[in-house]
Amino acid sequence: MTARTPYVRVPAPNGSSGTTRHRIAVIPGDGIGGEVVAAAVTVLDAAGADAGVEFEWTEFDWNCARYARTGAMMPADGLDRLAGFDAIFLGAVGWPTVPDHVSLWGLLIPIRRHFRQYVNLRPVQLLPGIVSPLAGVGPADVDFVIVRENNEGEYSQVGGRLHGGTDEELAVQESIFTARGVDRVLRYAFELAREHGSRHVTSATKSNGIVHTMPFWDERFARMAERYPDVRTDEYHIDALSAYLVQRPAYFDVIVGSNLFGDILSDLGAAVAGSIGIAPAANINPEREYPSMFEPVHGSAPDIAGQGVANPIGQIWTGAMMLDHLGHPDPAAAVRAALGRVLTDPDPATRTPDLGGVATTSEVTQAVVAALATPAAAPTALAGPPPPAGATGPDRGD
């Protein structure tokens, strides 16, 4: 069975010889972020060494602890300091003592928007050796990607609150959808589906209840679809689509949604795939005018932080996405293959507790590094077959 190509648009090699060096800004963040980032750096250094790729890692201690000390998640010149790097590698952000909207809007969202990382790319794959909570579902049944609009939509600062502390207190939150913003993320989704081979894009909407922005989204989607007559399309209301991802995950390939819808669907997808701890993600500036940022889907997990048992798979897989983005598909594939070998090993000594094992973060890391050196043929792990041609989709939903 032919495996899919990775869900990353890889640039053509530049033809240079010798060692390639990349400057990477590292933001471990909060909680388990430092633990899993250190693990991924170890794996990426090992994979790069075998492929003539070197990394210069520069760490920044921008997190909630810094906020507690200084009142800011990052310094005033933080964005300027990041601008010269080839990529940004981030662990996790958030801590119980700091409100989530403070940590998010103080670090992640400014980076995403300043560097025009308007695509949030989140592959969802059930890996061999991982058990989905869905009965009768295997790796061939869960293999799709969420393309989430990452710079506008429902996550805006337009709005306000009035009459605070009274019975008439009210809050207004505005969503911002622009033709330029919607079209560029739709275009990315269609191009990804075309390059990926299955040529199928699903749009997440809710135009029956949200009467301005979602009909606008639907209209832009229909116009974009006209430019890609070779790509099959469908659209579902977000509530129905959430149910269908559970009932029929094999039907879907590329799903494109707004900032909020894409955020929700990608966490649901990670759960369908067995664990949010193994889900990778990337914040992409497709034009490569600015550095892109790579961060796993999982959070900072304060309940297990510092115990040395955090699952590093999501961060390592995110690192493979960064390798792809930087133009190194071979070491990226080697990392994915190594993860596949480790996860198919039934030995609990190579799995962290969240996957039913007894391994520490360090032990899983060393197992992946050892798997990189294994000459065995790479499995079809982290890739799977496209949905059957002509598959009939579910109803659009109410």
Side-chain angles (χ1 to χ4, degrees), residues 99-349:
D100 288 341
H101 70 278
V102 171
S103 57
L104 183 68
W105 283 91
L107 185 62
L108 291 182
I109 289 184
I111 293 174
R112 291 171 178 173
R113 296 190 173 182
H114 182 79
F115 295 125
R116 298 182 185 177
Q117 298 167 354
Y118 60 83
V119 171
N120 185 242
L121 191 65
R122 295 188 169 185
V124 178
Q125 294 179 318
L126 176 58
L127 309 183
I130 303 298
V131 178
S132 170
L134 305 182
V137 169
D141 301 310
V142 182
D143 187 6
F144 57 90
V145 66
I146 307 294
V147 177
R148 167 190 172 192
E149 200 290 314
N150 209 33
N151 277 182
E152 52 179 46
E154 302 88 350
Y155 293 4
S156 83
Q157 291 177 298
V158 180
R161 298 172 67 167
L162 296 173
H163 312 306
T166 73
D167 291 341
E168 296 182 353
E169 183 174 5
L170 64 90
V172 177
Q173 179 75 50
E174 300 287 350
S175 297
I176 305 297
F177 288 77
T178 66
R180 180 173 180 267
V182 173
D183 285 356
R184 64 188 182 183
V185 75
L186 293 176
R187 185 179 302 108
Y188 186 96
F190 275 90
E191 289 291 336
L192 185 63
R194 176 180 280 176
E195 295 171 10
H196 190 248
S198 58
R199 300 175 184 267
H200 177 206
V201 177
T202 298
S203 172
T205 184
K206 191 55 180 171
S207 51
N208 61 344
I210 302 176
V211 299
H212 297 300
T213 57
M214 284 293 102
F216 176 74
W217 174 279
D218 292 350
E219 292 163 11
R220 306 310 300 186
F221 182 74
R223 292 184 186 182
M224 189 63 64
E226 292 175 355
R227 305 180 187 179
Y228 295 86
D230 57 322
V231 176
R232 181 165 54 100
T233 63
D234 43 35
E235 57 185 38
Y236 303 109
H237 294 308
I238 184 64
D239 43 355
L241 179 55
S242 298
Y244 296 146
L245 279 182
V246 174
Q247 295 174 329
R248 300 184 59 183
Y251 174 75
F252 299 99
D253 178 49
V254 175
I255 302 173
V256 62
S258 67
N259 212 329
L260 176 62
F261 292 172
D263 196 3
I264 294 171
L265 289 173
S266 54
D267 277 20
L268 174 60
V272 167
S275 173
I276 198 171
I278 61 175
N283 303 278
I284 303 295
N285 171 245
E287 293 78 17
R288 302 174 185 274
E289 299 170 326
Y290 304 97
S292 294
M293 179 168 62
F294 298 82
E295 54 168 323
V297 173
H298 66 68
S300 60
D303 56 324
I304 61 169
Q307 299 179 25
V309 295
N311 189 339
I313 298 297
Q315 191 78 49
I316 295 170
W317 191 357
T318 297
M321 294 182 70
M322 184 172 71
L323 281 169
D324 270 322
H325 180 78
L326 293 172
H328 305 293
D330 291 341
V335 170
R336 288 191 294 268
L339 291 176
R341 294 187 189 109
V342 170
L343 290 170
T344 52
D345 186 344
D347 186 354

Side-chain angles (χ1 to χ4, degrees), residues 341-369:
R341 294 187 189 109
V342 170
L343 290 170
T344 52
D345 186 344
D347 186 354
T350 61
R351 292 169 178 253
T352 45
D354 63 304
L355 296 180
V358 297
T360 64
T361 306
S362 177
E363 288 168 342
V364 173
T365 304
Q366 293 309 311
V368 175
V369 171

